[in-house]
Amino acid sequence: MRSDVDLVVVGGGIAGLVVALEAATAGAGVVVLESDDRVGGMLRRGRLAGIDIDLGAESFAKRTDAVPRLIADFDLPLEIVTPRSGPAHLVSPRAGGRWSRLPLPRRTVIGIPADPLAADVVAIIGERAAQRAAAEVGGTPLDPTASLADVVEERLGAGLLDGLVDPLCRSIYSQPAAAVPLPRLHPKMWTAFERTGSLLAAAAEVAPDAPGGTAVGGIAGGMWRLAEAVAAQARSRGADIRTSRTVRALSAGAGGVAVELDDATLRSRGVVVATGPRAAAQLLGMTPAAIDDAASAPIQPAVRLLTAAVTSVGLSAEPVGSGVIVAPGARTAAKAMTHIDAKWAWARAALAADTHVVRLSARADDTAGLDSAAAVAREITQLTGVRIDRGDIGEIITTRWRDAVVPAESDDWTRAVMDAAVRGIHVTGAVAAGTGLASVIPHARALAQQLFSVPAVRKEPR
Ligand SMILES: Cc1cc2nc3c(=O)[nH]c(=O)nc-3n(C[C@H](O)[C@H](O)[C@H](O)COP(=O)(O)OP(=O)(O)OC[C@H]3O[C@@H](n4cnc5c(N)ncnc54)[C@H](O)[C@@H]3O)c2cc1C
């Protein structure tokens, strides 16, 4: 097979764009094929209340230095910012139809506290559960395949699991703690756990010793800018990035891979698949049954967001800090809410006084709730404790992410990825690295560097 190009990247989300940037930097001829009419994937720009906002990821976890390092290494014209408001709150039902809204504890990692007896932890899980967690049960062998829920319940007790760890795991990773092992969620935390033999000691080591919220960072103007900047830099280094181009199939032959589009076939020496899980499984030739199995495993088939402009003097007091996480089992239509302009100074500065941008993550199984301005107003009232009327709600943008939840790794999947690699088809993105930019970006960079032995473009992060 004669190749048209060194590398085809399927998918122009942040993973695919980072691979393209690294490959182009190494001098490789690279083509990115993106099915959407714009690049960025889950880093997507929207416009509401006169400002540009994120409709997908709006922050990055600081558990790795992936984002600052990428920006520094490639001189991307972006400014990293820190959330400005107090911590997000946990909303839980209380007896008599009342709700509690309590600040999330300062020093936790996925809800595992550095100090279970800290007042902000006890306020949420109660004295008895806190005492149980403080008396950590150790000594059992560490099993990297055990679910986060099993490990936490055995060592720290069910009270901490149900009261903090599971709600945070669902909120941050869109998966219940029972569906995923700790090493996949948070490798750094796992390494500290392995070394110390204690979850509490590991959390004390890894948890940021700072006011809540600073475990994440953002980009002034929105995270969507990261994808745009990486794409622009990759293009300037020769990458050919094409939108509205869906890859239908890949077939490996001697000396290369045929990449089939609706109206053309490209021949490439190698291919990187950087799509969501369903598309990746299909391109790797997994059977429909295996794809379904893989995709339906972790509870949520899709993520649905409603981003609303709200006019309210009450919200200007930022009653729930940067937002809320709703405890599992609470009967609300949303599982989380972000008060965007309470969280990000750049949004606050751009909005008119008493105009707010509020983002609700709807429960995936909910079809009836949150389908009108009145329902959105009711929901924000319930979550924040501030009365919002239907007339306070301005424009609402609904965004559905259908291929966003990364399934737990299965043997079929691991085998398919290994077989494909032998044929010159490699997989990156959240499906291979785990959810979140802190994991996705280093994986994409490492893969590209391995494929093209990129000369180091190292500078210290700014
Ligand atoms: C609502 C939401 C909020 C999030 N918040 C955060 C956060 O705050 N912090 C954080 O770190 N992470 C967050 N994440 C997760 C983070 O956005 C993702 O882990 C990351 O962006 C995944 O990047 P990716 O390149 O692997 O995949 P994607 O961004 O999904 O990119 C895949 C691309 O492949 C394209 N594609 C699919 N099939 C084909 C095909 N056949 N041919 C061509 N192209 C194809 C898609 O159109 C898409 O553009 C959030 C995700 C969502 C949905």
Side-chain angles (χ1 to χ4, degrees):
M1 188 189 295
R2 206 172 46 79
S3 301
D4 305 316
V5 63
D6 295 323
L7 182 71
V8 165
V9 179
V10 187
I14 192 64
L17 294 172
V18 165
V19 169
L21 176 55
E22 290 277 9
T25 303
V30 53
V31 175
V32 178
L33 301 169
E34 164 56 50
S35 57
D36 211 340
D37 62 1
R38 57 188 145 175
V39 295
M42 293 183 220
L43 301 186
R44 184 187 297 181
R45 177 199 338 208
R47 201 161 169 83
L48 193 76
I51 67 166
D52 287 331
I53 50 156
D54 284 307
L55 297 179
E58 45 85 43
S59 65
F60 59 89
K62 288 189 186 165
R63 65 174 185 273
T64 71
D65 68 351
V67 172
R69 185 162 285 284
L70 183 70
I71 290 173
D73 283 352
F74 292 99
D75 269 331
L76 304 178
L78 300 169
E79 183 195 347
I80 289 186
V81 291
T82 302
R84 58 180 278 272
S85 60
H89 287 48
L90 183 69
V91 172
S92 326
R94 287 277 183 264
R98 295 162 64 86
W99 295 85
S100 79
R101 299 178 192 87
L102 292 166
L104 284 169
R106 229 165 46 94
R107 295 193 67 214
T108 65
V109 179
I110 329 172
I112 301 168
D115 175 9
L117 300 176
D120 53 6
V121 178
V122 177
I124 288 181
I125 65 171
E127 186 70 37
R128 187 193 290 199
Q131 292 289 357
R132 164 66 185 88
E136 178 172 6
V137 176
T140 46
L142 271 52
D143 175 3
T145 64
S147 75
L148 174 65
D150 285 346
V151 177
V152 170
E153 184 168 8
E154 181 190 333
R155 296 195 162 234
L156 305 177
L160 180 76
L161 172 65
D162 297 338
L164 260 183
V165 174
D166 195 40
L168 281 165
C169 187
R170 287 172 189 264
S171 159
I172 303 168
Y173 298 99
S174 296
Q175 300 188 67
V180 59
L182 179 57
R184 188 163 163 84
L185 288 180
H186 205 309
K188 201 165 157 186
M189 178 72 182
W190 175 256
T191 307
F193 179 35
E194 270 187 315
R195 200 182 56 257
T196 60
S198 155
L199 280 176
L200 298 179
E205 209 174 285
V206 174
D209 189 9
T214 49
V216 299
I219 286 176
M223 288 303 301
W224 59 269
R225 290 175 190 267
L226 181 66
E228 303 249 320
V230 171
Q233 187 68 269
R235 280 197 173 105
S236 77
R237 291 172 190 227
D240 176 0
I241 300 176
R242 305 178 193 171
T243 52
S244 303
R245 305 294 279 159
T246 301
V247 173
R248 301 292 177 195
L250 301 171
S251 48
V257 181
V259 179
E260 286 174 33
L261 300 144
D262 287 329
D263 53 0
T265 301
L266 264 177
R267 287 170 183 78
S268 178
R269 282 175 51 211
V271 167
V272 169
V273 174
T275 65
R278 277 173 208 263
Q282 186 244 319
L283 290 172
L284 260 49
M286 291 179 77
T287 62
I291 297 170
D292 266 348
D293 209 340
S296 64
I299 309 293
Q300 295 188 32
V303 174
R304 184 164 65 106
L305 294 182
L306 287 100
T307 311
V310 186
T311 307
S312 160
V313 176
L315 283 188
S316 300
E318 301 174 5
V320 287
S322 60
V324 304
I325 288 169
V326 181
R331 296 172 73 84
T332 55
K335 64 188 178 77
M337 188 202 91
T338 308
H339 186 172
I340 296 291
D341 51 294
K343 187 168 182 181
W344 302 114
W346 58 263
R348 183 64 263 146
L351 286 165
D354 298 327
T355 299
H356 302 274
V357 173
V358 170
R359 166 159 136 165
L360 297 167
S361 309
R363 294 190 187 279
D365 51 5
D366 169 63
T367 47
L370 297 181
D371 51 3
S372 66
V376 168
R378 266 198 312 276
E379 192 70 10
I380 298 174
T381 301
Q382 191 168 47
L383 296 180
T384 62
V386 171
R387 183 175 169 151
I388 304 293
D389 295 317
R390 184 201 168 127
D392 300 331
I393 305 290
E395 193 189 344
I396 299 174
I397 300 178
T398 302
T399 318
R400 283 188 175 76
W401 295 104
R402 296 198 186 282
D403 204 6
V405 179
V406 177
E409 264 172 279
S410 68
D411 290 347
D412 279 358
W413 171 252
T414 309
R415 213 171 305 118
V417 170
M418 285 166 61
D419 286 354
V422 174
R423 294 179 287 133
I425 302 170
H426 306 272
V427 181
T428 192
V431 66
T435 300
L437 304 168
S439 307
V440 165
I441 292 171
H443 189 281
R445 293 191 73 175
L447 174 63
Q449 290 176 3
Q450 181 198 324
L451 292 178
F452 293 102
S453 314
V454 174
V457 227
R458 285 267 169 267
K459 283 190 216 152
E460 283 315 300
R462 279 182 290 208

